[in-house]
Amino acid sequence: MLPSGAVTARYFRHIQSLGPAWFYIHAGVQLSAFFLGTVGFAIGLKLGNSSPGVTYGLHRKLGIAAFCLGGLQTLALLFRPKTTNKYRKYWKSYHHFVGYACVVIGVVNVFEGFEVMGAGGSYGKLAYCLCLSTLIGACIALEVNSWVIFCRKSKEDKLRREGIISDKGSTDLIHNS
């Protein structure tokens, strides 16, 4: 769920017709993922205490790291500065870095969990890989779309500065070239 929430923020924020809905979708998906992760973390603690002598070092460490980073991200909501605050750019950098780190660690930990369960070749892992691949494919398509829109806007702005099209003029000139 964490990658889906990150995709929501990355690509839906620029769709003006959504307004602030992208933020609520992003926050809702991320909070749901955090609560599910908390349940998974609690189950991991319970299973770890129930099976003395059995340790899965990397999976455990990744789980702790993902849980701590997820907690920091959740707390960051409480300390989010207003858009006009001069420290907002630092908060955004922190939020992006910690958020993407949490997503990467979470995805790696899911794969590690499949190995711990002995389900490295299972249909569950295959389904997870297919979902992740679909999400990556959607991200690539959305990123290409973002660049196309950016390039069109840049070309349009350049033509406006050069006086070739007016501020009120339509963008038909760009679409026909």
Side-chain angles (χ1 to χ4, degrees):
M1 284 183 74
L2 287 174
S4 300
V7 168
T8 303
R10 170 92 174 113
Y11 299 108
F12 289 2
R13 175 180 5 164
H14 304 292
I15 301 173
Q16 281 133 6
S17 62
L18 285 177
W22 74 266
F23 175 77
Y24 299 115
I25 295 168
H26 168 67
V29 170
Q30 295 302 78
L31 283 173
S32 299
F34 178 70
F35 290 128
L36 283 174
T38 302
V39 170
F41 188 73
I43 291 170
L45 290 176
K46 175 69 175 145
L47 289 174
N49 290 334
S50 299
S51 48
V54 179
T55 57
Y56 299 104
L58 181 60
H59 184 63
R60 181 180 189 167
K61 290 172 188 166
L62 288 173
I64 291 169
F67 182 72
C68 290
L69 289 174
L72 281 174
Q73 283 293 78
T74 304
L75 287 174
L77 280 175
L78 302 174
F79 301 109
R80 188 173 77 134
K82 294 190 183 326
T83 55
T84 56
N85 191 308
K86 66 180 181 176
Y87 296 111
R88 176 66 178 230
K89 64 182 175 182
Y90 301 114
W91 181 89
K92 281 181 72 172
S93 295
Y94 152 81
H95 189 65
H96 288 154
F97 176 75
V98 173
Y100 284 122
C102 191
V103 168
V104 169
I105 290 171
V107 168
V108 170
N109 201 30
V110 168
F111 282 109
E112 186 62 28
F114 280 120
E115 296 304 319
V116 165
M117 291 180 357
S122 71
Y123 288 116
K125 185 175 180 182
L126 177 64
Y128 183 72
C129 288
L130 288 173
C131 288
L132 205 55
S133 298
T134 302
L135 187 63
I136 290 169
C139 286
I140 291 169
L142 289 167
E143 193 65 34
V144 167
N145 184 53
S146 295
W147 275 101
V148 167
I149 290 171
F150 174 78
C151 290
R152 282 185 182 165
K153 280 180 136 181
S154 295
K155 187 174 180 181
E156 184 178 317
D157 290 344
K158 181 181 176 195
L159 292 173
R160 274 202 182 98
R161 281 192 307 273
E162 293 173 353
I164 295 173
I165 60 173
S166 66
D167 287 335
K168 294 185 255 176
S170 76
T171 57
D172 290 341
L173 180 66
I174 292 174
H175 296 296
N176 292 331
S177 59

PDB file of all heavy atoms in Angstrom, residues 11 27 47 55 67 80 89 94-95 99 104 109 112 117 120 124-125 137 145 149 151 160 176:
ATOM      1  N   TYR A  11       1.804  11.860  -8.624  1.00  0.00           N
ATOM      2  CA  TYR A  11       1.181  12.121  -9.921  1.00  0.00           C
ATOM      3  C   TYR A  11      -0.186  12.787  -9.853  1.00  0.00           C
ATOM      4  O   TYR A  11      -0.594  13.436 -10.802  1.00  0.00           O
ATOM      5  CB  TYR A  11       1.086  10.824 -10.723  1.00  0.00           C
ATOM      6  CG  TYR A  11       2.454  10.240 -10.983  1.00  0.00           C
ATOM      7  CD1 TYR A  11       2.875   9.099 -10.335  1.00  0.00           C
ATOM      8  CD2 TYR A  11       3.332  10.876 -11.848  1.00  0.00           C
ATOM      9  CE1 TYR A  11       4.145   8.588 -10.558  1.00  0.00           C
ATOM     10  CE2 TYR A  11       4.598  10.375 -12.078  1.00  0.00           C
ATOM     11  CZ  TYR A  11       5.001   9.226 -11.427  1.00  0.00           C
ATOM     12  OH  TYR A  11       6.256   8.735 -11.648  1.00  0.00           O
ATOM     13  N   ALA A  27      -3.041  10.789   2.031  1.00  0.00           N
ATOM     14  CA  ALA A  27      -2.994  10.624   3.485  1.00  0.00           C
ATOM     15  C   ALA A  27      -3.788   9.392   3.925  1.00  0.00           C
ATOM     16  O   ALA A  27      -3.341   8.638   4.801  1.00  0.00           O
ATOM     17  CB  ALA A  27      -3.526  11.882   4.179  1.00  0.00           C
ATOM     18  N   LEU A  47       5.105 -13.252  17.381  1.00  0.00           N
ATOM     19  CA  LEU A  47       5.726 -14.470  16.859  1.00  0.00           C
ATOM     20  C   LEU A  47       7.182 -14.586  17.291  1.00  0.00           C
ATOM     21  O   LEU A  47       7.668 -15.676  17.578  1.00  0.00           O
ATOM     22  CB  LEU A  47       5.629 -14.502  15.329  1.00  0.00           C
ATOM     23  CG  LEU A  47       4.250 -14.741  14.741  1.00  0.00           C
ATOM     24  CD1 LEU A  47       4.294 -14.601  13.220  1.00  0.00           C
ATOM     25  CD2 LEU A  47       3.718 -16.100  15.145  1.00  0.00           C
ATOM     26  N   THR A  55      15.620 -16.675  14.941  1.00  0.00           N
ATOM     27  CA  THR A  55      15.736 -15.255  14.596  1.00  0.00           C
ATOM     28  C   THR A  55      15.929 -15.111  13.095  1.00  0.00           C
ATOM     29  O   THR A  55      16.603 -15.916  12.457  1.00  0.00           O
ATOM     30  CB  THR A  55      16.938 -14.585  15.304  1.00  0.00           C
ATOM     31  OG1 THR A  55      18.124 -15.297  14.967  1.00  0.00           O
ATOM     32  CG2 THR A  55      16.747 -14.563  16.809  1.00  0.00           C
ATOM     33  N   PHE A  67       9.003   0.327  10.293  1.00  0.00           N
ATOM     34  CA  PHE A  67       8.036   0.784  11.294  1.00  0.00           C
ATOM     35  C   PHE A  67       8.443   2.144  11.866  1.00  0.00           C
ATOM     36  O   PHE A  67       7.601   3.034  12.009  1.00  0.00           O
ATOM     37  CB  PHE A  67       7.903  -0.248  12.417  1.00  0.00           C
ATOM     38  CG  PHE A  67       6.899   0.130  13.455  1.00  0.00           C
ATOM     39  CD1 PHE A  67       5.546   0.076  13.174  1.00  0.00           C
ATOM     40  CD2 PHE A  67       7.299   0.556  14.709  1.00  0.00           C
ATOM     41  CE1 PHE A  67       4.608   0.436  14.126  1.00  0.00           C
ATOM     42  CE2 PHE A  67       6.369   0.917  15.663  1.00  0.00           C
ATOM     43  CZ  PHE A  67       5.021   0.855  15.374  1.00  0.00           C
ATOM     44  N   ARG A  80       3.678  19.627   9.980  1.00  0.00           N
ATOM     45  CA  ARG A  80       3.759  20.134   8.614  1.00  0.00           C
ATOM     46  C   ARG A  80       3.545  21.637   8.604  1.00  0.00           C
ATOM     47  O   ARG A  80       2.491  22.143   8.995  1.00  0.00           O
ATOM     48  CB  ARG A  80       2.691  19.456   7.754  1.00  0.00           C
ATOM     49  CG  ARG A  80       2.815  19.763   6.291  1.00  0.00           C
ATOM     50  CD  ARG A  80       1.835  18.935   5.518  1.00  0.00           C
ATOM     51  NE  ARG A  80       0.501  19.488   5.637  1.00  0.00           N
ATOM     52  CZ  ARG A  80      -0.323  19.661   4.630  1.00  0.00           C
ATOM     53  NH1 ARG A  80       0.029  19.269   3.435  1.00  0.00           N
ATOM     54  NH2 ARG A  80      -1.504  20.178   4.818  1.00  0.00           N
ATOM     55  N   LYS A  89      10.220  24.034   2.589  1.00  0.00           N
ATOM     56  CA  LYS A  89      11.034  23.290   1.626  1.00  0.00           C
ATOM     57  C   LYS A  89      11.879  22.225   2.322  1.00  0.00           C
ATOM     58  O   LYS A  89      12.096  21.145   1.771  1.00  0.00           O
ATOM     59  CB  LYS A  89      11.903  24.218   0.796  1.00  0.00           C
ATOM     60  CG  LYS A  89      12.941  24.997   1.564  1.00  0.00           C
ATOM     61  CD  LYS A  89      13.715  25.929   0.654  1.00  0.00           C
ATOM     62  CE  LYS A  89      14.667  26.781   1.467  1.00  0.00           C
ATOM     63  NZ  LYS A  89      15.394  27.726   0.638  1.00  0.00           N
ATOM     64  N   TYR A  94      12.563  16.417   3.672  1.00  0.00           N
ATOM     65  CA  TYR A  94      12.541  15.351   4.675  1.00  0.00           C
ATOM     66  C   TYR A  94      11.432  14.352   4.359  1.00  0.00           C
ATOM     67  O   TYR A  94      11.649  13.142   4.371  1.00  0.00           O
ATOM     68  CB  TYR A  94      12.345  15.957   6.073  1.00  0.00           C
ATOM     69  CG  TYR A  94      11.666  15.030   7.042  1.00  0.00           C
ATOM     70  CD1 TYR A  94      12.392  14.034   7.691  1.00  0.00           C
ATOM     71  CD2 TYR A  94      10.301  15.117   7.283  1.00  0.00           C
ATOM     72  CE1 TYR A  94      11.762  13.161   8.556  1.00  0.00           C
ATOM     73  CE2 TYR A  94       9.672  14.242   8.139  1.00  0.00           C
ATOM     74  CZ  TYR A  94      10.408  13.273   8.781  1.00  0.00           C
ATOM     75  OH  TYR A  94       9.786  12.407   9.625  1.00  0.00           O
ATOM     76  N   HIS A  95      10.240  14.852   4.071  1.00  0.00           N
ATOM     77  CA  HIS A  95       9.076  14.007   3.829  1.00  0.00           C
ATOM     78  C   HIS A  95       9.302  13.105   2.610  1.00  0.00           C
ATOM     79  O   HIS A  95       8.992  11.913   2.648  1.00  0.00           O
ATOM     80  CB  HIS A  95       7.840  14.881   3.630  1.00  0.00           C
ATOM     81  CG  HIS A  95       6.560  14.127   3.578  1.00  0.00           C
ATOM     82  ND1 HIS A  95       6.063  13.426   4.646  1.00  0.00           N
ATOM     83  CD2 HIS A  95       5.659  13.970   2.570  1.00  0.00           C
ATOM     84  CE1 HIS A  95       4.919  12.852   4.302  1.00  0.00           C
ATOM     85  NE2 HIS A  95       4.648  13.169   3.052  1.00  0.00           N
ATOM     86  N   GLY A  99       9.898   9.211   3.150  1.00  0.00           N
ATOM     87  CA  GLY A  99       8.807   8.473   2.519  1.00  0.00           C
ATOM     88  C   GLY A  99       9.296   7.444   1.510  1.00  0.00           C
ATOM     89  O   GLY A  99       8.896   6.281   1.547  1.00  0.00           O
ATOM     90  N   VAL A 104      10.863   1.811  -0.095  1.00  0.00           N
ATOM     91  CA  VAL A 104      11.875   0.861  -0.560  1.00  0.00           C
ATOM     92  C   VAL A 104      12.138  -0.213   0.496  1.00  0.00           C
ATOM     93  O   VAL A 104      12.164  -1.412   0.192  1.00  0.00           O
ATOM     94  CB  VAL A 104      13.185   1.599  -0.941  1.00  0.00           C
ATOM     95  CG1 VAL A 104      14.327   0.627  -1.160  1.00  0.00           C
ATOM     96  CG2 VAL A 104      12.966   2.450  -2.180  1.00  0.00           C
ATOM     97  N   ASN A 109      11.457  -5.654   2.444  1.00  0.00           N
ATOM     98  CA  ASN A 109      11.086  -6.482   3.591  1.00  0.00           C
ATOM     99  C   ASN A 109       9.984  -7.480   3.251  1.00  0.00           C
ATOM    100  O   ASN A 109       9.953  -8.586   3.785  1.00  0.00           O
ATOM    101  CB  ASN A 109      10.671  -5.621   4.782  1.00  0.00           C
ATOM    102  CG  ASN A 109      10.767  -6.374   6.082  1.00  0.00           C
ATOM    103  OD1 ASN A 109      11.591  -7.271   6.238  1.00  0.00           O
ATOM    104  ND2 ASN A 109       9.929  -6.018   7.028  1.00  0.00           N
ATOM    105  N   GLU A 112      11.775 -10.255   1.640  1.00  0.00           N
ATOM    106  CA  GLU A 112      12.500 -10.986   2.680  1.00  0.00           C
ATOM    107  C   GLU A 112      11.535 -11.858   3.485  1.00  0.00           C
ATOM    108  O   GLU A 112      11.863 -12.976   3.865  1.00  0.00           O
ATOM    109  CB  GLU A 112      13.237  -9.999   3.595  1.00  0.00           C
ATOM    110  CG  GLU A 112      14.139 -10.640   4.608  1.00  0.00           C
ATOM    111  CD  GLU A 112      15.284 -11.439   4.012  1.00  0.00           C
ATOM    112  OE1 GLU A 112      15.723 -11.129   2.897  1.00  0.00           O
ATOM    113  OE2 GLU A 112      15.730 -12.392   4.678  1.00  0.00           O
ATOM    114  N   MET A 117       9.319 -17.186   5.185  1.00  0.00           N
ATOM    115  CA  MET A 117       8.205 -18.137   5.236  1.00  0.00           C
ATOM    116  C   MET A 117       8.453 -19.358   4.354  1.00  0.00           C
ATOM    117  O   MET A 117       7.667 -20.299   4.363  1.00  0.00           O
ATOM    118  CB  MET A 117       6.903 -17.467   4.772  1.00  0.00           C
ATOM    119  CG  MET A 117       6.402 -16.431   5.725  1.00  0.00           C
ATOM    120  SD  MET A 117       4.865 -15.578   5.269  1.00  0.00           S
ATOM    121  CE  MET A 117       4.400 -16.189   3.708  1.00  0.00           C
ATOM    122  N   GLY A 120       9.341 -18.535  -1.281  1.00  0.00           N
ATOM    123  CA  GLY A 120      10.056 -17.829  -2.333  1.00  0.00           C
ATOM    124  C   GLY A 120       9.519 -18.099  -3.717  1.00  0.00           C
ATOM    125  O   GLY A 120       9.618 -17.268  -4.609  1.00  0.00           O
ATOM    126  N   GLY A 124       1.711 -16.427  -3.996  1.00  0.00           N
ATOM    127  CA  GLY A 124       1.591 -15.161  -3.270  1.00  0.00           C
ATOM    128  C   GLY A 124       2.689 -14.184  -3.681  1.00  0.00           C
ATOM    129  O   GLY A 124       2.437 -13.006  -3.908  1.00  0.00           O
ATOM    130  N   LYS A 125       3.910 -14.702  -3.778  1.00  0.00           N
ATOM    131  CA  LYS A 125       5.023 -13.855  -4.206  1.00  0.00           C
ATOM    132  C   LYS A 125       4.831 -13.435  -5.657  1.00  0.00           C
ATOM    133  O   LYS A 125       5.104 -12.296  -6.016  1.00  0.00           O
ATOM    134  CB  LYS A 125       6.350 -14.586  -4.027  1.00  0.00           C
ATOM    135  CG  LYS A 125       7.551 -13.721  -4.348  1.00  0.00           C
ATOM    136  CD  LYS A 125       8.850 -14.437  -4.057  1.00  0.00           C
ATOM    137  CE  LYS A 125      10.040 -13.553  -4.378  1.00  0.00           C
ATOM    138  NZ  LYS A 125      11.306 -14.262  -4.137  1.00  0.00           N
ATOM    139  N   GLY A 137       4.811  -0.045 -13.945  1.00  0.00           N
ATOM    140  CA  GLY A 137       4.408   0.298 -15.305  1.00  0.00           C
ATOM    141  C   GLY A 137       3.529   1.537 -15.343  1.00  0.00           C
ATOM    142  O   GLY A 137       3.708   2.415 -16.202  1.00  0.00           O
ATOM    143  N   ASN A 145       3.910  10.897 -19.232  1.00  0.00           N
ATOM    144  CA  ASN A 145       2.836  11.875 -19.415  1.00  0.00           C
ATOM    145  C   ASN A 145       3.199  13.205 -18.753  1.00  0.00           C
ATOM    146  O   ASN A 145       2.973  14.267 -19.339  1.00  0.00           O
ATOM    147  CB  ASN A 145       1.535  11.322 -18.837  1.00  0.00           C
ATOM    148  CG  ASN A 145       0.373  12.250 -19.095  1.00  0.00           C
ATOM    149  OD1 ASN A 145       0.130  12.645 -20.222  1.00  0.00           O
ATOM    150  ND2 ASN A 145      -0.335  12.600 -18.040  1.00  0.00           N
ATOM    151  N   ILE A 149       3.569  16.822 -20.766  1.00  0.00           N
ATOM    152  CA  ILE A 149       2.837  18.026 -20.351  1.00  0.00           C
ATOM    153  C   ILE A 149       3.815  19.151 -20.028  1.00  0.00           C
ATOM    154  O   ILE A 149       3.623  20.302 -20.438  1.00  0.00           O
ATOM    155  CB  ILE A 149       1.919  17.719 -19.157  1.00  0.00           C
ATOM    156  CG1 ILE A 149       0.768  16.825 -19.610  1.00  0.00           C
ATOM    157  CG2 ILE A 149       1.395  19.003 -18.517  1.00  0.00           C
ATOM    158  CD1 ILE A 149      -0.067  16.280 -18.467  1.00  0.00           C
ATOM    159  N   CYS A 151       6.878  19.601 -21.166  1.00  0.00           N
ATOM    160  CA  CYS A 151       7.501  20.100 -22.398  1.00  0.00           C
ATOM    161  C   CYS A 151       6.533  20.962 -23.195  1.00  0.00           C
ATOM    162  O   CYS A 151       6.930  22.004 -23.754  1.00  0.00           O
ATOM    163  CB  CYS A 151       8.007  18.929 -23.238  1.00  0.00           C
ATOM    164  SG  CYS A 151       9.428  18.092 -22.501  1.00  0.00           S
ATOM    165  N   ARG A 160       4.820  32.334 -25.983  1.00  0.00           N
ATOM    166  CA  ARG A 160       4.184  33.535 -25.407  1.00  0.00           C
ATOM    167  C   ARG A 160       5.211  34.632 -25.182  1.00  0.00           C
ATOM    168  O   ARG A 160       4.958  35.799 -25.471  1.00  0.00           O
ATOM    169  CB  ARG A 160       3.505  33.185 -24.089  1.00  0.00           C
ATOM    170  CG  ARG A 160       2.127  32.666 -24.260  1.00  0.00           C
ATOM    171  CD  ARG A 160       1.309  32.828 -22.982  1.00  0.00           C
ATOM    172  NE  ARG A 160       0.007  32.260 -23.229  1.00  0.00           N
ATOM    173  CZ  ARG A 160      -0.357  31.037 -22.872  1.00  0.00           C
ATOM    174  NH1 ARG A 160       0.462  30.272 -22.206  1.00  0.00           N
ATOM    175  NH2 ARG A 160      -1.547  30.583 -23.166  1.00  0.00           N
ATOM    176  N   ASN A 176      -0.702  21.478 -33.197  1.00  0.00           N
ATOM    177  CA  ASN A 176      -0.589  21.226 -34.632  1.00  0.00           C
ATOM    178  C   ASN A 176       0.851  21.118 -35.104  1.00  0.00           C
ATOM    179  O   ASN A 176       1.108  20.758 -36.227  1.00  0.00           O
ATOM    180  CB  ASN A 176      -1.296  22.324 -35.438  1.00  0.00           C
ATOM    181  CG  ASN A 176      -2.797  22.257 -35.229  1.00  0.00           C
ATOM    182  OD1 ASN A 176      -3.338  21.189 -34.969  1.00  0.00           O
ATOM    183  ND2 ASN A 176      -3.452  23.393 -35.334  1.00  0.00           N
TER     184      ASN A 176
END
